[in-house]
Amino acid sequence: MQPAYIRSFGWNLNENVERIYVPGSAYRRGPGTEVKGIKTVTASMEFWMADDLGAASGVEPFLAKFALDKYNTAVAATNPGTWAIPETGGTYPGDSSYGSYSLLPFTLEVGANKTGDIRVRSITGCYVNSETVKVARGEKCTWTWDIVGKDIDTSTGFVGTGSQSTAKPLDWSGVRIKWTGEDGNATYHTGCTGIEFTTNNNLEMVNDLSAVGQNREVTGYIPQGREVSGSMTW
């Protein structure tokens, strides 16, 4: 699956190699040896969603859940192509009507086809650590992901398959903002001119003794206290 309109994408792999300098260990004050630290993999992606939100397959609303909780198969069974936010089906341990405490891992593939030579980078063990959603009058709705991963591999072809919506990008004309006051009554606001909010899962990298091999890959991520912040103008 993929968003209809990817605006930018970048990734970084850091082997965290530390050079060790000791007196007399190398010629002309060069490093005497190196020590490899934990491999860290990060990525960032900015995208728009289609105006129909992938109506035929429900793919794009599914993407909106990656920073929130795991997906709900129960909803998809009764209403194909839809997913609930938060999770309510109890598909995974800890799931409830108040949302899952776990996130959905996934693999990202990014590449280019230059004169028939497909070059793909496959980023495995990904989680959305932070997601920012921004909507404003006269602008297209924008999602930004900050991603953490486990490793990056290379290949000559894409493994995953998916389709893109051909509908126009979702913009301010398709946005509705509802406000629930202290009295518990929800009303739609017509005077709002923009809203931006960030969901930060504060994922902590784990590297236990099972990863003492040469690669020193991350063995997992622990979700810390989720922080949600934002701003609205009207």
Side-chain angles (χ1 to χ4, degrees):
M1 66 183 68
Q2 56 186 359
Y5 301 95
I6 297 177
R7 305 297 299 160
S8 64
F9 183 88
W11 56 268
N12 178 267
L13 185 151
N14 191 341
E15 297 285 358
N16 289 302
V17 175
E18 179 184 0
R19 289 179 171 176
I20 306 299
Y21 296 84
V22 295
S25 65
Y27 181 63
R28 290 185 177 178
R29 301 177 64 188
T33 186
E34 294 83 23
V35 176
K36 187 182 182 312
I38 300 174
K39 177 188 291 186
T40 57
V41 177
T42 58
S44 61
M45 181 169 69
E46 180 179 294
F47 58 95
W48 299 333
M49 289 195 188
D51 187 68
D52 65 351
L53 295 178
S57 61
V59 165
E60 298 199 340
F62 180 74
L63 287 172
K65 291 175 57 62
F66 273 94
L68 304 176
D69 61 14
K70 288 190 172 181
Y71 60 88
N72 186 338
T73 55
V75 173
T78 57
N79 190 3
T82 63
W83 286 266
I85 301 176
E87 161 75 53
T88 58
T91 307
Y92 296 92
D95 294 341
S96 71
S97 59
Y98 299 101
S100 166
Y101 57 61
S102 52
L103 299 173
L104 182 67
F106 59 97
T107 296
L108 266 176
E109 293 180 296
V110 58
N113 186 354
K114 185 176 182 180
T115 64
D117 183 13
I118 302 177
R119 304 171 185 178
V120 178
R121 297 295 184 270
S122 178
I123 309 175
T124 58
C126 292
Y127 292 92
V128 177
N129 187 32
S130 176
E131 176 186 69
T132 298
V133 181
K134 182 178 181 180
V135 298
R137 184 168 58 190
E139 302 291 338
K140 297 176 178 63
C141 304
T142 302
W143 279 257
T144 303
W145 281 0
D146 288 328
I147 301 164
V148 293
K150 181 178 181 180
D151 199 7
I152 298 179
D153 299 316
T154 60
S155 65
T156 57
F158 290 93
V159 176
T161 59
S163 60
Q164 291 177 289
S165 173
T166 57
K168 66 178 183 179
L170 178 66
D171 59 19
W172 184 247
S173 65
V175 173
R176 297 185 73 183
I177 297 175
K178 182 183 289 187
W179 177 279
T180 302
E182 294 182 356
D183 58 0
N185 294 324
T187 57
Y188 288 101
H189 272 239
T190 58
C192 181
T193 59
I195 186 169
E196 178 177 347
F197 63 91
T198 297
T199 302
N200 191 343
N201 290 303
N202 291 304
L203 296 179
E204 179 183 350
M205 181 174 56
V206 177
N207 184 258
D208 58 28
L209 293 180
S210 66
V212 295
Q214 181 178 359
N215 286 334
R216 299 284 289 165
E217 296 176 349
V218 174
T219 55
Y221 289 92
I222 299 176
Q224 303 300 301
R226 175 179 290 165
E227 299 175 349
V228 180
S229 60
S231 61
M232 182 172 68
T233 57
W234 69 90

